[in-house]
Amino acid sequence: MAKYCTHCGNPVNENAVICLKCGCEIKDSVNEANNKKTSLNGNVSLACGIIGIIFAWIFALVGHIASIIGIVYGIKENQETGKSTGLVLGIIGEVCSVISSAIGVMISLGLV
């Protein structure tokens, strides 16, 4: 499949980063789609991790669900970019949810 400069339309080498005719950067639609996907995974994992931490202490079931979703998307983000912020927040949210659930069970049984 031939590759063309998005600015001037000149045919360029498949591995080209800059068009030799006009000097503009060659944009690769596949890389742009991957960057959008990666940022989506990062944003979802980050948001779900934060929601998981907050809801762990208010309504533990929502904390569990949000944290697990955050962990899944955090793993995807980590595999694609090496970033682990969302994954770490998801894990922290899940730990908080487990602790909150355990405290709730102990209170309901009259142990605390």
Side-chain angles (χ1 to χ4, degrees):
M1 182 176 180
K3 190 173 179 181
Y4 297 92
C5 174
T6 55
H7 186 265
C8 71
N10 186 51
V12 294
N13 185 317
E14 289 291 323
N15 300 324
V17 179
I18 296 174
C19 175
L20 296 177
K21 183 175 181 182
C22 68
C24 290
E25 179 183 8
I26 304 297
K27 296 185 179 180
D28 188 356
S29 59
V30 173
N31 287 339
E32 288 178 8
N34 285 341
N35 288 340
K36 288 180 184 176
K37 180 180 173 186
T38 299
S39 66
L40 176 65
N41 287 338
N43 291 340
V44 170
S45 66
L46 189 65
C48 286
I50 292 169
I51 291 169
I53 292 169
I54 293 168
F55 275 94
W57 304 109
I58 300 168
F59 189 61
L61 181 61
V62 174
H64 283 297
I65 294 169
S67 297
I68 290 169
I69 293 170
I71 291 169
V72 169
Y73 278 94
I75 290 170
K76 289 180 183 179
E77 177 196 20
N78 185 272
Q79 290 172 341
E80 293 170 357
T81 66
K83 296 178 182 176
S84 59
T85 308
L87 178 60
V88 169
L89 286 175
I91 292 170
I92 291 170
E94 185 59 25
V95 169
C96 290
S97 295
V98 169
I99 292 170
S100 175
S101 296
I103 291 170
V105 167
M106 289 178 7
I107 290 172
S108 68
L109 294 175
L111 300 174
V112 177

PDB file of all heavy atoms in Angstrom, residues 14-15 65 105:
ATOM      1  N   GLU A  14       7.465   4.163   2.815  1.00  0.00           N
ATOM      2  CA  GLU A  14       6.623   3.610   3.898  1.00  0.00           C
ATOM      3  C   GLU A  14       7.143   3.972   5.281  1.00  0.00           C
ATOM      4  O   GLU A  14       6.380   4.116   6.223  1.00  0.00           O
ATOM      5  CB  GLU A  14       6.537   2.084   3.782  1.00  0.00           C
ATOM      6  CG  GLU A  14       5.717   1.597   2.619  1.00  0.00           C
ATOM      7  CD  GLU A  14       4.238   1.884   2.789  1.00  0.00           C
ATOM      8  OE1 GLU A  14       3.726   1.787   3.920  1.00  0.00           O
ATOM      9  OE2 GLU A  14       3.594   2.208   1.780  1.00  0.00           O
ATOM     10  N   ASN A  15       8.457   4.099   5.440  1.00  0.00           N
ATOM     11  CA  ASN A  15       9.058   4.386   6.744  1.00  0.00           C
ATOM     12  C   ASN A  15       9.339   5.867   6.961  1.00  0.00           C
ATOM     13  O   ASN A  15       9.939   6.237   7.960  1.00  0.00           O
ATOM     14  CB  ASN A  15      10.360   3.592   6.909  1.00  0.00           C
ATOM     15  CG  ASN A  15      10.122   2.105   6.826  1.00  0.00           C
ATOM     16  OD1 ASN A  15       9.100   1.615   7.281  1.00  0.00           O
ATOM     17  ND2 ASN A  15      11.049   1.386   6.231  1.00  0.00           N
ATOM     18  N   ILE A  65     -16.309  -2.995  41.831  1.00  0.00           N
ATOM     19  CA  ILE A  65     -16.551  -3.011  40.381  1.00  0.00           C
ATOM     20  C   ILE A  65     -15.666  -1.993  39.681  1.00  0.00           C
ATOM     21  O   ILE A  65     -14.999  -2.311  38.686  1.00  0.00           O
ATOM     22  CB  ILE A  65     -18.041  -2.765  40.085  1.00  0.00           C
ATOM     23  CG1 ILE A  65     -18.866  -3.950  40.605  1.00  0.00           C
ATOM     24  CG2 ILE A  65     -18.275  -2.555  38.592  1.00  0.00           C
ATOM     25  CD1 ILE A  65     -20.363  -3.704  40.619  1.00  0.00           C
ATOM     26  N   VAL A 105     -18.473  -6.300  57.463  1.00  0.00           N
ATOM     27  CA  VAL A 105     -18.880  -7.619  57.932  1.00  0.00           C
ATOM     28  C   VAL A 105     -18.635  -7.732  59.438  1.00  0.00           C
ATOM     29  O   VAL A 105     -19.483  -8.244  60.186  1.00  0.00           O
ATOM     30  CB  VAL A 105     -18.131  -8.734  57.175  1.00  0.00           C
ATOM     31  CG1 VAL A 105     -18.295 -10.087  57.845  1.00  0.00           C
ATOM     32  CG2 VAL A 105     -18.594  -8.797  55.720  1.00  0.00           C
TER      33      VAL A 105
END
